[in-house]
Amino acid sequence: MTQTPWLFFLVGLYFAMAQAYSYPGTAVARMLASRARVASLTPTDLSSDWESVTRLRILWAAGLKDLRSARPGQGYTGHAFNDWNHVDATCMMPFVANETNADGAVVGISRKNNLHEGILIASDPELGEGGSWSTCQLGCNKDPPSDVAHVQFKSQIAFKLVWCPPSFNQFVLVDDDGKVINRGLGVGNIPHIRERQMNYEAVKGSKYAPNAVEVPFDR
């Protein structure tokens, strides 16, 4: 189910550096360290109670702290991986973290989408240079993706959470090419079924959708 974290890191480094020119805002080492964390998660990590275990492990993999009591814009991460949209683990360099979509290039997103303070507060420094955020996936179904990560921050994503049809009880964590890094089973107080359905609809037809399929899951 999982891959050897350091092998995943080294292979990923080769391909990530090749794409760095297209997305210069990517904190490459941090992104690959995040993917290695995802690959290290166990079936138990990803099929236990959603709020007390699984979502926290996904936050850790993304390089984010669990800050449910913080104010929105001040590091709050209670929404991260908890709705249809905020499911892209983005690792960006410091010089792009204060970008705000002022030019409106990301359609459907505010021109004052200032995430800088929250990124500084919520990012786990142990993951490496740069910061992390659970950015909006709106626009990811375009080719190339036209979402917050790729356009506002000019960054690849470390991974994306996609709920799998037809029951939407399982989810996959895929990299920026849509390849499965790991998968899990929603248990407990998971996002509402409509949120999970909308999550898949947002990626339908894109490179992130083909591997979002349910499989026999061994906990």
Side-chain angles (χ1 to χ4, degrees):
M1 175 168 294
T2 60
Q3 303 178 38
T4 303
W6 278 108
L7 176 60
F8 192 91
F9 182 92
L10 292 173
V11 172
L13 179 62
Y14 174 82
F15 290 102
M17 293 304 295
Q19 297 184 48
Y21 290 107
S22 298
Y23 297 104
T26 308
V28 175
R30 185 179 181 90
M31 176 186 72
L32 295 177
S34 174
R35 291 177 183 172
R37 283 187 176 186
V38 173
S40 74
L41 296 176
T42 67
T44 300
D45 289 330
L46 294 175
S47 63
S48 294
D49 180 72
W50 177 255
E51 284 296 342
S52 64
V53 179
T54 297
R55 195 179 73 89
L56 302 191
R57 297 302 287 161
I58 295 172
L59 284 173
W60 170 79
L64 286 168
K65 302 170 186 175
D66 177 29
L67 300 178
R68 280 174 274 188
S69 60
R71 291 190 304 165
Q74 299 294 314
Y76 176 74
T77 57
H79 65 303
F81 308 103
N82 226 4
D83 62 16
W84 73 271
N85 196 22
H86 297 89
V87 293
D88 285 353
T90 303
C91 298
M92 74 290 288
M93 294 295 288
F95 71 87
V96 297
N98 60 355
E99 293 291 337
T100 63
N101 191 44
D103 59 0
V106 187
V107 178
I109 298 296
S110 170
R111 290 173 179 258
K112 297 180 180 180
N113 190 35
N114 189 346
L115 304 173
H116 187 222
E117 189 70 17
I119 292 168
L120 290 176
I121 295 170
S123 294
D124 175 7
E126 294 184 2
L127 193 61
E129 181 185 17
S132 295
W133 198 249
S134 56
T135 57
C136 296
Q137 70 166 340
L138 182 66
C140 74
N141 59 334
K142 298 179 181 178
D143 186 16
S146 186
D147 50 35
V148 169
H150 294 91
V151 177
Q152 180 173 327
F153 293 123
K154 297 178 174 60
S155 173
Q156 297 173 269
I157 60 169
F159 65 88
K160 176 193 293 288
L161 186 152
V162 183
W163 291 94
C164 306
S167 73
F168 301 98
N169 289 325
Q170 292 184 26
F171 61 88
V172 289
L173 302 171
V174 299
D175 67 15
D176 205 30
D177 293 318
K179 297 176 181 176
V180 176
I181 309 174
N182 217 325
R183 62 174 63 243
L185 177 69
V187 176
N189 189 27
I190 60 178
H192 189 273
I193 180 62
R194 184 58 185 145
E195 295 284 339
R196 288 176 276 145
Q197 291 170 336
M198 290 173 63
N199 165 267
Y200 179 76
E201 286 297 319
V203 306
K204 196 173 181 179
S206 77
K207 61 183 177 180
Y208 304 113
N211 289 318
V213 294
E214 294 182 339
V215 299
F217 192 87
D218 183 9
R219 298 172 61 182

